[in-house]
Amino acid sequence: MKTVLITGGTRGIGKATAFVFASHGYQLALSYCTREDTAIKTKEEIEKEYGVNVMLVKADLSKEDEISKMVEDVYEKYPVLDCLVNNAGIAIDTLFEEKTKENFLKTLDVNLVGPFLLSRMVGDKMKDTGCGVIINVSSTSGLEMTYPESLDYDASKAGLISLTHNLANYYGKEIRVNAVAPGWVNTEMSQDLEKDFYKKQLSSILLERFAEPKEIGTAIYFLASEEASYINDTVLRVDGGVKR
Ligand SMILES: NC(=O)c1ccc[n+]([C@@H]2O[C@H](COP(=O)([O-])OP(=O)(O)OC[C@H]3O[C@@H](n4cnc5c(N)ncnc54)[C@H](OP(=O)(O)O)[C@@H]3O)[C@@H](O)[C@H]2O)c1
């Protein structure tokens, strides 16, 4: 039975991704940071629907010791990890002129430095077993500038794409490393957008709607699957198409 570790796997895109992997028979390790009740509910829902093992791990990705402990705990339960999905992320939108060093660094820590540390810890173990797949959840905002309020988030997601290329080159033939770059997705992160801004975003998408989390989870699963065995070191946009 194959195993996947999905960070932030208990709600939003991570939860939808967990369901897709579970539907293909994977056993799961799902990390969360603060929302334990949500995590337990997700675990129960997946176990009920698919009957696979679901392990929950609490870890703040901005803390190296918590990442190390998570890796230790996951490998104690599952000796082999086939796939790592670096999904967890934060966006602290503030006016450009109000951006602080503290928030900038927090965003980089959670969205980029944490995934780097985790990928190296897991990647080294995957290399020992001779195979593995890593998928980073970036964003179209890592490919092009979005709006000044999102500067720190965009920088972290651009960094995640750079990390993808660097990991793919570092690990070579044993580990495939790819990224997905979603556009807007209907999750808590994209709720509460100001009405005019929401309309403007919607009008720039060819499919004229935001993605559902499952549509991103399906793309992530595809990149992890044997069907994508020759896809490596690349970024898959999942954004409904851009009006030009
Ligand atoms: N939604 C979009 O429109 C969109 C578009 C493009 C890319 N993305 C990317 O997709 C990924 C998932 O986004 P989402 O919309 O599903 O987000 P979400 O609904 O806000 O969920 C965020 C997840 O990250 C976890 N998390 C937050 N801070 C953390 C920390 N310090 N350490 C570890 N985990 C932490 C949360 O855990 P708790 O539940 O415990 O808080 C939660 O599971 C993110 O990387 C995001 O940047 C999202």
Side-chain angles (χ1 to χ4, degrees):
M1 190 180 273
K2 287 195 167 186
T3 306
V4 60
L5 166 59
I6 304 170
T7 64
T10 56
R11 65 184 168 98
I13 293 170
K15 176 179 176 179
T17 306
F19 267 81
V20 178
F21 275 83
S23 74
H24 287 89
Y26 273 71
Q27 49 189 4
L28 314 173
L30 307 178
S31 90
Y32 67 98
C33 184
T34 51
R35 299 198 195 172
E36 189 165 19
D37 289 352
T38 306
I40 291 169
K41 199 165 161 266
T42 296
K43 172 181 160 71
E44 287 171 355
E45 283 173 24
I46 296 173
E47 284 175 343
K48 190 170 170 212
E49 188 155 346
Y50 295 108
V52 297
N53 286 321
V54 181
M55 173 192 189
L56 295 176
V57 264
K58 184 177 183 327
D60 183 338
L61 284 176
S62 66
K63 298 188 174 140
E64 187 168 5
D65 57 334
E66 294 192 20
I67 299 173
S68 300
K69 177 80 171 60
M70 166 167 69
V71 172
E72 211 177 281
D73 290 349
V74 169
Y75 274 94
E76 199 177 303
K77 182 165 171 68
Y78 303 129
V80 175
L81 264 189
D82 299 282
C83 181
L84 165 66
V85 182
N86 284 308
N87 163 74
I90 56 169
I92 312 173
D93 275 2
T94 49
L95 291 174
F96 186 83
E97 54 274 28
E98 287 171 7
K99 291 228 168 275
T100 60
K101 181 177 175 183
E102 193 191 7
N103 281 352
F104 207 127
L105 291 179
K106 173 87 182 163
T107 304
L108 289 178
D109 264 347
V110 176
N111 293 5
L112 179 59
V113 182
F116 157 64
L117 294 169
L118 177 59
S119 299
R120 198 175 50 183
M121 289 176 207
V122 171
D124 287 352
K125 288 181 181 291
M126 283 176 168
K127 202 174 166 70
D128 289 344
T129 61
C131 65
V133 181
I134 298 175
I135 293 143
N136 295 321
V137 182
S138 178
S139 165
T140 49
S141 65
L143 293 165
E144 61 238 2
M145 185 246 164
T146 52
Y147 46 95
E149 290 78 3
S150 183
L151 161 73
D152 37 8
Y153 178 80
D154 295 2
S156 72
K157 293 299 181 181
L160 203 52
I161 288 171
S162 173
L163 176 67
T164 302
H165 298 312
N166 279 286
L167 287 170
N169 277 270
Y170 180 75
Y171 285 114
K173 69 177 183 181
E174 275 110 348
I175 303 175
R176 287 191 300 111
V177 188
N178 290 295
V180 288
W184 286 105
V185 187
N186 283 321
T187 69
E188 214 175 297
M189 191 179 270
S190 61
Q191 268 175 11
D192 305 327
L193 295 178
E194 196 262 320
K195 211 172 159 193
D196 286 345
F197 179 77
Y198 172 76
K199 276 190 186 161
K200 193 172 162 213
Q201 296 302 311
L202 212 55
S203 69
S204 70
I205 303 167
L206 285 174
L207 295 184
E208 295 182 358
R209 64 176 177 85
F210 286 7
E212 291 309 319
K214 188 180 174 186
E215 294 175 304
I216 310 302
T218 307
I220 293 170
Y221 178 76
F222 165 68
L223 288 174
S225 73
E226 268 307 300
E227 276 64 44
S229 56
Y230 202 63
I231 300 179
N232 191 25
D233 190 23
T234 196
V235 182
L236 176 62
R237 288 184 81 113
V238 192
D239 63 356
V242 182
K243 280 190 190 163
R244 295 169 211 278

